[in-house]
Amino acid sequence: VDVRGVERLQALAKDNTLVYVPCHRSHIDYLLLSYVVHNAGLTVPHIAAGANLNLPIVGGILRRGGAFFLRRSFKNDELYGEVFSAYVHEVLKRGFPMEYFVEGGRSRTGRMLQPKAGLISMTVQSYLREHSRPLLFVPVYIGYEKLMEGGSYTEELAGAAKKKESIFGLIKAINGLRDQHFGSVGVSFARPIALGELLDAEGAKDMDTWLADKNLRRRTLTDVSRYIAERINGAAHLNPVALVATALLATPKHAADVAQLASIVERLLRLATTAQTAPDLAATTLTGQDPIAYTARLGYLTRKSHALGDVVMANEQAAVALTYFRNNVLHCFALPGLIACLIVQHGVIGQTKLARLARELYVLLESELFLPRWRDASDVASDGDDMVSEASSVSRFEPFERTLATLVSDGWIGREAEANVITASPQGTDSAMHLEILASTMRPTLTRHALMLALVVRGDSGARSRDALETLCQQAAQHLAMTHVFNAPEFSDRTQFRSAFDALLRANLVRLDSADGVHFDPSLVARAEDASFLLPPDTRAAVLRAAQRQPAKAAVSTASA
């Protein structure tokens, strides 16, 4: 267990109430975090756990370990909600640390899920109602190298029903763990979020103000949830498995020459650490071919000897498993991958145009991957200064500048300073190959967004409901995954399209009417064309064909697909 950031907590725990808000990857998370906190000499938190874990024998053990159980939903039971909220308040009022998983459930894809506001809302109300000490949210990143539930996640994404937890299933799972090696797990305590300071900034001064203003509640809970998710992703662990998965899954056949793969892995590692794509990133210290050998020892890779150089590959089952760990750190390569896609497609592009196009597409990724908001000079101009030039309005986003500078300094791309032009490396060079792999890390995500945009602008504005549109997107993605995109189950996962649509709403690119009809501005057509332009010609054509298809009346179900 590799722990980061615990020293900061040891100092803060004396005078603050701590609420741990980790990402949720495995059932082991509960035990792991309590183990780490206890080893650090801190008070083990009370943990909000799903009622499905309140099993015979096991439930009693978990309770004595600090767990308190809650139903998955209690929207229609006001009394249950009030009693549970009172319990949360009592725990926090006494200064006890608490822990809950803001995603609401375990991520099946490896990406951070959209946070649920229920327990966050109860925490805010408790603080406004009564508190004797400051309260800190402590975001926690947990990154595994091998999951005990990996097989079941793949099955569920492919359409299988979620297996109900049972004592017999637990015994069977424990027996299945014998003689298996699960590598290391990274636990990072990110920079805490002071609830009092955030509420002051939002204008939530007291409980009366909070209860009286619905917009204030919605805005504050949205902001708190987003800050937590951003801080979690910002403290990612770039472990050997995630790093190798990111590189290998970007190759056409999920196979590569060992020496070449080692080279791209090292460059990806340098890119993430130098460009600071995650501000509190913890990166592996393994270099050369060691990350590849390490990943192979965990059973993900097969190595074959060859006279011209050994080749390492992942079979279809292993490749699907590796997508989970790539997705754990995909946000670290979102901006570099987006920039690489633009440069690969254009060949030569002015930096001002590059920044403008990157920003237009980045806004679609912000909400899905919990990236820092793109704030630059144009945001300042919108507050009253109309004299900001186009060049300055799109090129002052520090992460963009830092990433671009890193790509230039490490030889991924070229820059003609006098002309302010960015150029791709000549075809056939290692740098050109590496840039293509970097671009390929984001192509599945951009393909999904391009598909959704193409479907949104197809037909008349307001003609389809959001639910119908998401269903159509999922069906089109299932078909596309069988023909043109690596058939990872997560590609057509409906939650991904739900998240992508939320991004369109937040960017004011679409709006919903009272009947849930989807309306869009004609300018969205141009953005849809820009998104599809980033794809290789065959994939672009397949996306446009998929957008034009009409589903059969007896549409293929998610399960059968």
Side-chain angles (χ1 to χ4, degrees):
V1 180
D2 180 13
V3 182
R4 308 290 177 96
V6 74
E7 300 83 3
R8 178 167 45 206
L9 287 188
Q10 290 169 331
L12 293 171
K14 299 174 184 178
D15 303 311
N16 298 273
T17 298
L18 303 182
V19 177
Y20 298 93
V21 278
C23 59
H24 201 5
R25 304 275 160 81
S26 169
H27 278 316
I28 299 301
D29 297 344
Y30 301 96
L31 310 174
L32 174 65
L33 194 54
S34 291
Y35 167 81
V36 169
V37 169
H38 175 71
N39 271 9
L42 300 171
T43 303
V44 173
H46 292 261
I47 308 166
N52 57 315
L53 296 178
N54 192 12
L55 304 170
I57 303 176
V58 175
I61 295 172
L62 294 179
R63 270 190 198 280
R64 290 189 290 275
F68 59 96
F69 298 100
L70 74 157
R71 300 174 190 169
R72 288 294 180 189
S73 175
F74 40 89
K75 287 183 179 179
N76 299 322
D77 193 337
E78 189 174 343
L79 177 61
Y80 183 91
E82 289 297 327
V83 171
F84 194 87
S85 182
Y87 180 81
V88 169
H89 175 66
E90 192 65 26
V91 172
L92 295 175
K93 183 182 73 173
R94 297 185 183 190
F96 290 118
M98 184 180 288
E99 171 192 337
Y100 48 79
F101 298 94
V102 290
E103 296 166 280
R106 291 167 293 154
S107 171
R108 266 62 176 177
T109 65
R111 296 185 183 206
M112 182 82 188
L113 303 177
Q114 288 290 336
K116 308 291 185 184
L119 278 166
I120 295 175
S121 177
M122 290 182 187
T123 303
V124 172
Q125 290 189 58
S126 171
Y127 183 83
L128 289 172
R129 177 179 164 188
E130 181 183 5
H131 65 273
S132 57
R133 305 201 305 170
L135 186 147
L136 299 177
F137 284 111
V138 182
V140 187
Y141 179 92
I142 302 175
Y144 296 92
E145 294 176 343
K146 192 171 185 179
L147 283 173
M148 298 179 184
E149 303 101 324
S152 65
Y153 286 177
T154 302
E155 292 171 3
E156 289 172 29
L157 284 172
K162 179 180 179 294
K163 295 180 181 178
K164 188 176 180 180
E165 282 78 8
S166 68
I167 187 67
F168 303 106
L170 179 63
I171 294 171
K172 182 179 178 181
I174 292 173
N175 287 332
L177 299 181
R178 294 181 178 182
D179 302 323
Q180 288 198 51
H181 178 53
F182 288 88
S184 298
V185 55
V187 180
S188 278
F189 296 98
R191 289 168 293 133
I193 300 167
L195 179 57
E197 294 178 8
L198 194 147
L199 292 177
D200 288 344
E202 296 284 355
K205 300 177 180 179
D206 50 45
M207 181 63 90
D208 290 339
T209 305
W210 177 262
L211 294 177
D213 193 337
K214 183 178 180 180
N215 290 331
L216 171 66
R217 295 198 301 274
R218 182 186 295 114
R219 183 180 69 247
T220 302
L221 293 175
T222 298
D223 287 347
V224 173
S225 300
R226 181 172 177 80
Y227 291 148
I228 289 172
E230 280 187 25
R231 293 280 175 93
I232 290 173
N233 272 354
H237 274 247
L238 197 54
N239 61 46
V241 175
L243 198 54
V244 171
T246 301
L248 192 64
L249 294 179
T251 61
K253 293 186 176 181
H254 310 131
D257 176 87
V258 172
Q260 290 181 342
L261 182 61
S263 176
I264 185 63
V265 164
E266 282 199 359
R267 295 192 79 176
L268 288 174
L269 182 59
R270 282 201 305 272
L271 175 61
T273 52
T274 305
Q276 301 172 39
T277 52
D280 297 314
L281 183 72
T284 179
T285 57
L286 296 181
T287 58
Q289 297 185 14
D290 289 346
I292 301 171
Y294 184 92
T295 304
R297 284 197 297 273
L298 287 173
Y300 295 116
L301 306 177
T302 302
R303 183 166 178 155
K304 292 189 176 182
S305 299
H306 193 277
L308 298 182
D310 289 0
V311 173
V312 66
M313 60 190 68
N315 61 34
E316 184 175 355
Q317 183 178 357
V320 170
L322 285 173
T323 61
Y324 192 95
F325 305 100
R326 177 203 61 193
N327 288 348
N328 285 175
V329 300
L330 186 64
H331 60 280
C332 297
F333 300 101
L335 184 54
L338 175 57
I339 293 172
C341 280
L342 287 164
I343 296 172
V344 165
Q345 292 303 105
H346 285 82
V348 178
I349 183 172
Q351 184 169 327
T352 301
K353 182 179 180 180
L354 175 64
R356 177 177 59 79
L357 292 176
R359 180 178 184 173
E360 288 179 0
L361 294 162
Y362 182 90
V363 72
L364 301 178
L365 304 177
E366 282 179 357
S367 300
E368 181 180 349
L369 298 176
F370 303 103
L371 303 171
R373 277 193 61 202
W374 188 305
R375 295 188 61 85
D376 57 24
S378 63
D379 295 305
V380 177
S382 65
D383 293 332
D385 180 4
D386 298 325
M387 302 303 293
V388 179
S389 68
E390 180 190 6
S392 64
S393 69
V394 293
S395 62
R396 300 297 179 85
F397 180 50
E398 187 176 340
F400 172 81
E401 291 294 310
R402 197 167 52 235
T403 300
L404 191 62
T406 302
L407 290 170
V408 171
S409 64
D410 202 30
W412 296 79
I413 55 177
R415 174 156 57 186
E416 298 177 15
E418 293 182 1
N420 203 25
V421 167
I422 304 297
T423 60
S425 298
Q427 289 296 317
T429 63
D430 284 346
S431 291
M433 179 192 71
H434 293 170
L435 189 67
E436 172 57 34
I437 288 177
L438 179 59
S440 295
T441 62
M442 286 307 297
R443 283 223 179 92
T445 300
L446 292 171
T447 300
R448 192 186 303 110
H449 281 282
L451 180 61
M452 169 162 271
L453 286 171
L455 286 166
V456 167
V457 301
R458 191 191 81 181
D460 297 329
S461 179
R464 286 192 302 273
S465 70
R466 172 175 180 167
D467 184 69
L469 180 64
E470 289 179 356
T471 299
L472 191 57
C473 285
Q474 185 181 31
Q475 292 169 343
Q478 289 168 348
H479 194 274
L480 191 62
M482 296 176 190
T483 56
H484 282 78
V485 181
F486 167 49
N487 195 11
E490 59 123 13
F491 180 75
S492 56
D493 180 30
R494 182 157 182 161
T495 61
Q496 304 295 336
F497 287 105
R498 194 172 299 127
S499 177
F501 192 88
D502 285 339
L504 294 179
L505 285 172
R506 291 192 186 94
N508 296 317
L509 297 175
V510 297
R511 65 185 186 280
L512 299 175
D513 59 28
S514 58
D516 210 33
V518 179
H519 295 261
F520 61 90
D521 190 89
S523 63
L524 192 63
V525 176
R527 193 173 293 235
E529 292 174 354
D530 286 341
S532 66
F533 178 74
L534 289 185
L535 308 178
D538 59 334
T539 307
R540 187 188 318 156
V543 165
L544 296 177
R545 283 197 302 271
Q548 295 300 322
R549 287 179 181 273
Q550 293 291 340
K553 290 184 179 180
V556 178
S557 69
T558 304
S560 62

